Amino acid sequence: MITVVIPTYNRSTCIKYQLENYLDKYKGTLFVFEIHDSSTDDETFGLINNCNNDKISYHRYPSDVNGDVKTMQAIQKVKTDYYFLLGDGVCVDFEKLEKKLNEIGYDKYKVIGFRSTDGISKSVFKEYNIHNLDECDRNDYFVKYFWALTLYGSMIVRTDLVKNVSDEAQKYIEILSPFMHDCILFEGISKYDGKCAFVFVDFIKGNPYKQGSGWKKSKQALEFFCYRYYESVLLLPDCYEKESRRFLISHNKYSNLFGFKSLVVLRANGNITFKLVRKYKFYIKKTVAHPIKIYLSLLIPPFMSKCLIKIYRKLKRLN
């Protein structure tokens, strides 16, 4: 079996959608599901308590726990050989995933990464063969796929790979790294032999009830994906240092976080401001392939950015 670990916080509507459309409908034999909840209310608990499905269990945490720390605590409790870390903003057809895993022989690998073919950037289509399973050694996997694995809902991992390096977690906890899980994963990959693989699939979708990311609402885009990203990477083992420059820009390049459309949105909701760009200027240069785009986005007044977003949404509806 594979344990699906689902951390959540005050998103009972997301959990309800996942539960009713995916988890409770799953009829296979490979997966069991764990909801790790630190919400300030009991709505998520009520949903799981009433679903009467012995494949789904509920685990409660204090509401003030750091989300990434909670995730690592949840993984330490996993009893199956593999786990699948899944965010409440991601939906997976587990019947299709089970079929895919059996086709490729998942137990040959330490890590199998996944990414949806929906909404991936042009640069990904250009540089990746999205139609075939890609087997990689440690360094290639690091450079090519760290960016993709930062999404909760993008990998199945052999549990002991992370449990065996749990002592390495403290240095990432100390800097409150949003990339704690990925960094600890690659700590494990650096120390234990085993194959890693990645495949693009069409059965992973976004949850329609996910109303924006926490970092976006708290205006932390530059802090998380430039500053904390850079500081987290510096703590990784020396074996990854050779490709550090190529790797450092990979996340923002392939996730398209600072593409034109995204920058307009980030400018409109206060994630890109003169003050923030000045504060994180050094880290922007280190982690963004074309930082000039961020500087140019400052020329668009926030009210104009909001107008551009409204126009874009109207045109999209018309099409």
Side-chain angles (χ1 to χ4, degrees), residues 219 222 270-281:
K219 302 176 176 54
L222 295 179
N271 275 274
I272 303 289
T273 66
F274 283 96
K275 182 179 180 180
L276 288 170
V277 170
R278 279 196 299 269
K279 181 176 181 180
Y280 297 113
K281 184 177 180 180

Side-chain angles (χ1 to χ4, degrees), residues 113-309:
F114 294 92
R115 194 74 173 193
S116 174
T117 51
D118 279 358
I120 59 176
S121 66
K122 292 180 181 179
S123 58
V124 173
F125 271 106
K126 184 178 178 181
E127 296 194 27
Y128 290 83
N129 184 345
I130 68 168
H131 301 295
N132 295 318
L133 180 76
D134 187 13
E135 289 188 357
C136 301
D137 64 20
R138 177 187 65 198
N139 282 19
D140 276 349
Y141 204 64
F142 174 71
V143 173
K144 293 173 72 174
Y145 295 116
F146 186 103
W147 69 272
L149 300 177
T150 58
L151 175 72
Y152 281 15
S154 63
M155 75 188 96
I156 288 171
V157 180
R158 186 160 181 89
T159 308
D160 58 9
L161 189 69
V162 169
K163 283 189 175 184
N164 288 344
V165 293
S166 58
D167 291 345
E168 303 292 341
Q170 188 57 38
K171 59 186 178 183
Y172 301 105
I173 292 172
E174 288 174 0
I175 66 167
L176 296 177
S177 171
F179 305 96
M180 192 179 301
H181 176 259
D182 269 28
C183 289
I184 295 170
L185 170 66
F186 277 94
E187 293 271 358
I189 290 173
S190 74
K191 291 177 173 63
Y192 299 96
D193 292 333
K195 293 181 180 179
C196 300
F198 197 93
V199 62
F200 288 87
V201 297
D202 61 1
F203 48 76
I204 296 177
K205 310 290 184 184
N207 191 320
Y209 287 91
K210 177 75 176 287
Q211 298 297 314
S213 302
W215 56 263
K216 192 177 291 184
K217 291 180 180 178
S218 56
K219 302 176 176 54
Q220 291 178 291
L222 295 179
E223 177 188 342
F224 275 27
F225 297 99
C226 296
Y227 165 57
R228 295 196 185 277
Y229 175 63
Y230 179 81
E231 294 296 321
S232 299
V233 170
L234 288 185
L235 297 176
L236 286 165
D238 292 341
C239 62
Y240 299 118
E241 190 174 354
K242 182 180 177 182
E243 298 284 359
S244 60
R245 174 55 187 163
R246 179 183 163 204
F247 164 71
L248 275 170
I249 65 171
S250 66
H251 185 280
N252 294 327
K253 178 181 179 181
Y254 295 121
S255 67
N256 206 30
L257 178 65
F258 297 121
F260 177 73
K261 186 171 71 174
S262 297
L263 281 170
V264 171
V265 174
L266 293 174
R267 181 72 174 128
N269 59 29
N271 275 274
I272 303 289
T273 66
F274 283 96
K275 182 179 180 180
L276 288 170
V277 170
R278 279 196 299 269
K279 181 176 181 180
Y280 297 113
K281 184 177 180 180
F282 171 82
Y283 302 98
I284 291 170
K285 287 182 178 180
K286 292 289 186 180
T287 61
V288 180
H290 303 290
I292 187 65
K293 292 189 293 185
I294 293 179
Y295 306 141
L296 289 174
S297 71
L298 292 169
L299 301 177
I300 308 173
F303 76 89
M304 188 179 293
S305 300
K306 293 175 182 177
C307 291
L308 289 171
I309 293 168

